[in-house]
Amino acid sequence: MYTEKVIAEFTNPENVGEIADADGVGEVGSPACGDIMKIYLKIEGDKITDARFQTFGCAAAIASSSMTTRMIRGMPLSEAWEFSNADVVDALGGLPPAKVHCSVLARDAVRAAINDYRTRRGLEPRETGSSRCCDGAGCGSKPEND
Ligand code: FES
């Protein structure tokens, strides 16, 4: 059911925990399953210098959180905003169709954290749009928040 990469990321996740003095924090929940993901960002200039997570969810959600925090470290905010759940799914070697929504949580949590950072700096939050399941990852599920 899960790829070896998902199992490895789930059994040995990186970047678990809180950043006490985070510059941006994003928390999202899945309407599909009730699970919750929280992502903490440290930002210097326009770059993400640290990213950590706390996730109450399934193996796919934890693997997605871990992979996402590893991938967005060092990214400029503009690039992290465009970071898609399809990027996470690819990096994990795929997810079962019923679990693609778990990777969407990671994308949404990153965007929520960036918007929190923007709000703290007196900037308008960016429009997050609908929380689409897939972004081209091909699970065939319906968008969750439309
Ligand atoms: Fe809830 Fe995966 S089933 S996040």
Side-chain angles (χ1 to χ4, degrees), residues 36-113:
I36 294 172
M37 187 182 296
K38 201 165 182 179
I39 285 190
Y40 301 84
L41 300 179
K42 280 301 284 179
I43 296 162
E44 283 174 30
D46 191 38
K47 271 199 178 160
I48 295 172
T49 56
D50 195 8
R52 295 186 176 274
F53 75 91
Q54 292 174 315
T55 293
F56 301 93
C58 68
I62 289 166
S64 295
S65 307
S66 176
M67 182 60 79
T68 295
T69 53
R70 290 205 284 131
M71 291 175 78
I72 64 172
R73 279 181 169 190
M75 266 189 194
L77 290 177
S78 56
E79 199 177 322
W81 184 268
E82 297 303 330
F83 183 76
S84 138
N85 77 297
D87 297 328
V88 185
V89 173
D90 285 349
L92 290 171
L95 280 175
K99 291 291 180 179
V100 171
H101 78 271
C102 317
S103 67
V104 177
L105 273 184
R107 190 278 312 268
D108 288 352
V110 169
R111 289 189 171 184

Side-chain angles (χ1 to χ4, degrees), residues 14-36:
E14 288 188 25
N15 309 320
V16 178
E18 178 180 358
I19 299 176
D21 60 343
D23 298 306
V25 181
E27 180 174 327
V28 294
S30 168
C33 63
D35 292 338
I36 294 172

